[in-house]
Amino acid sequence: MDPKELREFMVRTQLVPMGIKDERLLNAMKKVPRHLFVEESKRHEAYGDTALSIGEGQTISQPYMVAVMTELLELKGDEKVLEIGTGSGYQTAILSELAKEVYTIERVAVLAQRTEERFHSLGYDNIYVRVGDGTLGWPGDAPFDRIIITAGTPRVPDPLMEQLSDDGILVAPVGDRFSQQLLKIRKHKGGPLEEYHTPCVFVPLIGKYGWQGED
Ligand code: SAM
């Protein structure tokens, strides 16, 4: 099968049976070439139902996890999205297909640089990349209609809640160092509305309002 057929197979055999319904999202996952977001030696595994190493001790998330987090964001196409944890840039590319603009922060400079080059070579022009501690957010361009954290965190960082628009949605894996659950928060005048979803395991969010240090 060629990569396009493999993507269609991934959508048909993994994402749809696991309950992903948003047609725009399923089409984006059929379109974005996940095999170009992993090292050449791992390309043959790119459309499997797993996370993969991207070097620097980090991972590209399992396709289902990318899909479920994106679906929780309820994107319609005109949103300004902040992503914390660029990693390979695959999740960023999916967001860029579904929203107006994506601002993404990665703390590991070499990953951010590699990923930015990838966005240029693939022609994504609505993505802004920054190196730094994403737990502080991106105050100069706030507020954001949607915020997604793609690393495991003990709590939702306060600066990110402050930088979320009224009625905006934030999705994050919240829990301990080795297991989390997806938390969806809708910012609401009467107080945030919180729902817990799928259990998950992410690499740690390391920063001022996440986990401290590497251990
Ligand atoms: N969404 C990514 C993808 O599709 O490849 C996967 C992200 S990976 C699971 C988590 C990323 O979060 C890693 O690249 C890690 O370096 C980054 N990270 C951890 N703490 C961070 C922080 N405070 N600010 C920004 N990035 C952070």
Side-chain angles (χ1 to χ4, degrees), residues 54 58-61 66 83-92 105-108 111 132-135 150-151 202-207:
I54 54 169
Q58 306 304 328
T59 52
I60 175 173
S61 304
V66 171
E83 178 192 39
I84 312 303
T86 319
S88 71
Y90 176 69
Q91 168 81 73
T92 326
I105 309 177
E106 171 56 56
R107 68 180 275 277
V108 180
L111 289 179
D133 177 4
T135 70
T150 66
F202 275 79
V203 295
L205 181 76
I206 296 170

Side-chain angles (χ1 to χ4, degrees), residues 3-173:
K4 185 168 181 291
E5 289 170 328
L6 286 169
R7 286 195 289 281
E8 282 171 4
F9 188 74
M10 170 185 82
V11 167
R12 204 171 56 246
T13 62
Q14 296 170 36
L15 307 184
V16 172
M18 288 164 99
I20 303 298
K21 292 191 173 62
D22 180 338
E23 279 299 325
R24 288 178 71 240
L25 168 60
L26 293 170
N27 286 334
M29 302 221 28
K30 283 182 196 166
K31 181 175 170 193
V32 176
R34 191 171 192 265
H35 64 290
L36 300 183
F37 289 78
V38 299
E39 290 163 24
E40 239 173 295
S41 62
K42 296 209 162 59
R43 283 193 180 160
H44 63 288
E45 298 177 74
Y47 297 104
D49 184 23
T50 54
L52 294 170
S53 162
I54 54 169
E56 318 305 320
Q58 306 304 328
T59 52
I60 175 173
S61 304
Q62 174 199 18
Y64 170 68
M65 196 48 65
V66 171
V68 87
M69 291 181 86
T70 308
E71 192 165 57
L72 289 172
L73 290 174
E74 301 179 21
L75 294 168
K76 300 288 179 274
D78 57 355
E79 298 85 359
K80 183 171 162 187
V81 181
L82 175 65
E83 178 192 39
I84 312 303
T86 319
S88 71
Y90 176 69
Q91 168 81 73
T92 326
I94 295 288
L95 295 169
S96 100
E97 295 282 344
L98 299 171
K100 190 165 141 219
E101 318 182 288
V102 187
Y103 292 71
T104 183
I105 309 177
E106 171 56 56
R107 68 180 275 277
V108 180
V110 65
L111 289 179
Q113 190 191 338
R114 207 178 285 159
T115 299
E116 201 164 14
E117 285 163 12
R118 193 170 280 147
F119 295 147
H120 286 142
S121 72
L122 293 172
Y124 289 104
D125 59 4
N126 63 345
I127 298 175
Y128 308 95
V129 182
R130 173 178 279 186
V131 178
D133 177 4
T135 70
L136 304 173
W138 194 314
D141 281 284
F144 297 94
D145 305 306
R146 303 288 186 266
I147 299 181
I148 176 170
I149 305 176
T150 66
T153 181
R155 70 193 75 82
V156 174
D158 291 341
L160 299 184
M161 277 312 287
E162 285 155 19
Q163 291 171 35
L164 184 63
S165 312
D166 288 339
D167 278 324
I169 297 174
L170 178 148
V171 172

